[in-house]
Amino acid sequence: MNTTLRRDRKSTQLERLLGGMMQVAASEGYAAASIAAVIAQAGVSRPTFYDHFTDREHCFLAALADTHEGLLADMSRAVHSQAPEHAGAAGIEALIA
């Protein structure tokens, strides 16, 4: 398999794991977000999980950081797309969305 395809597949697996962690934690709580539940939600194997993370907490913190980064980017785009007098409202709307 060429390097680009392998990198893309790993990136997709990582995104699925992060999304799986957020979905399980949001719907069932952090305590229920076991590695088994996360990999089942993400549709990846246990070895794939350990290719990316050392444990459940590492996965959860990475998922939080990814969510935080996405939220900040969305808010920044919204604020910068508006005139200064509407920037605050645009930021709040982006946060709620």
Side-chain angles (χ1 to χ4, degrees):
M1 181 182 293
N2 79 33
T3 307
T4 303
L5 286 176
R6 190 177 348 209
R7 199 173 328 119
D8 288 348
R9 190 170 98 202
K10 283 208 174 268
S11 175
T12 300
Q13 290 171 335
L14 175 60
E15 290 169 6
R16 288 176 22 210
L17 283 165
L18 295 173
M21 173 55 85
M22 291 308 291
Q23 288 174 346
V24 173
S27 66
E28 301 176 32
Y30 176 70
S34 65
I35 292 171
V38 171
I39 63 175
Q41 181 68 39
V44 301
S45 67
R46 187 172 291 271
T48 297
F49 178 91
Y50 286 108
D51 282 346
H52 295 283
F53 305 108
T54 56
D55 57 21
R56 173 178 80 132
E57 182 179 3
H58 181 212
C59 180
F60 183 71
L61 292 174
L64 283 178
D66 184 61
T67 301
H68 180 252
E69 184 178 304
L71 177 59
L72 287 177
D74 290 348
M75 289 179 66
S76 179
R77 275 191 300 278
V79 166
H80 289 96
S81 70
Q82 298 294 319
E85 63 271 12
H86 301 291
I92 291 170
E93 287 176 14
L95 178 61
I96 293 170

